[in-house]
Amino acid sequence: MATLTEVFKNIVFRNEQHKAFTSVVRVASVAEKHISRVLEPFNFHPQQYRILRALRKAHPAGIRVSDLKAFLVDTKSDVPRLIDRLEKAGLVKRRSDKKDKRTTLVVITEKGLDKAMEIGKHEDQFYVPVDRLSVEQARQLNELLEAMYKVLTE
């Protein structure tokens, strides 16, 4: 497995900040591929699992369709299409919100709960890459990422 230094060996960066940004983008891409590999035996996409996991935590109340986007890494994802796939598989269902009939809630089904629990047993595999970091390294990384996130979302 190559290191970032090896991956970037032919790239001339303008400065350390440019290299840091490029590194974050690259690591995020590799991390998403890692999560996809963990979910592959379950025939699940990371975005589908994120929705299912959010609905499992909200069970039995459900979550408004419009609020599900907050749980996704790729906020450009077509949430209704993702829900359609999960609904077709019998893992979720839509229902009207009793408090606001104009609002549609998505709730996880028993089959969805079972699937979420089955995948959840393997969730530790998602975190293997960061398990090698010390607590202090993880804290520093979190602080740096928080600073970057703040700048990007201002």
Side-chain angles (χ1 to χ4, degrees):
M1 177 77 61
T3 65
L4 278 176
T5 301
E6 293 166 342
V7 170
F8 295 152
K9 71 181 173 191
N10 295 321
I11 299 174
V12 177
F13 295 101
R14 290 185 299 238
N15 52 41
E16 284 299 310
Q17 289 85 348
H18 179 213
K19 183 178 179 182
F21 185 82
T22 305
S23 295
V24 167
V25 171
R26 178 66 178 219
V27 170
S29 174
V30 172
E32 189 72 1
K33 287 177 186 167
H34 168 73
I35 293 168
S36 292
R37 281 192 303 273
V38 172
L39 292 172
E40 193 172 4
F42 304 100
N43 197 27
F44 245 64
H45 186 276
Q47 297 290 61
Q48 292 172 309
Y49 182 61
R50 289 181 185 106
I51 287 176
L52 205 62
R53 187 174 59 189
L55 291 170
R56 181 185 71 196
K57 291 179 181 179
H59 181 69
I63 301 174
R64 293 185 317 189
V65 172
S66 58
D67 292 339
L68 279 171
K69 190 173 254 188
F71 295 95
L72 302 178
V73 171
D74 176 7
T75 55
K76 293 180 191 169
S77 289
D78 186 355
V79 174
R81 194 179 82 237
L82 289 168
I83 294 167
D84 288 344
R85 285 190 198 140
L86 294 170
E87 191 170 36
K88 190 174 184 178
L91 303 173
V92 303
K93 62 182 178 181
R94 290 177 170 98
R95 67 173 162 96
S96 294
D97 186 348
K98 291 177 179 133
K99 297 175 189 170
D100 182 355
K101 297 289 183 201
R102 299 169 297 167
T103 301
T104 300
L105 294 175
V106 181
V107 296
I108 193 167
T109 63
E110 287 301 316
K111 184 177 178 182
L113 284 170
D114 291 344
K115 186 71 157 180
M117 295 296 275
E118 176 189 2
I119 296 171
K121 292 176 186 174
H122 302 274
E123 207 171 59
D124 285 351
Q125 293 177 32
F126 294 156
Y127 308 108
V128 168
V130 292
D131 286 344
R132 294 181 182 168
L133 297 177
S134 69
V135 172
E136 184 54 35
Q137 287 173 319
R139 188 175 296 122
Q140 289 173 344
L141 179 59
N142 287 330
E143 288 173 7
L144 293 168
L145 291 171
E146 183 67 38
M148 188 174 177
Y149 185 81
K150 184 178 178 183
V151 170
L152 289 170
T153 57
E154 285 180 334

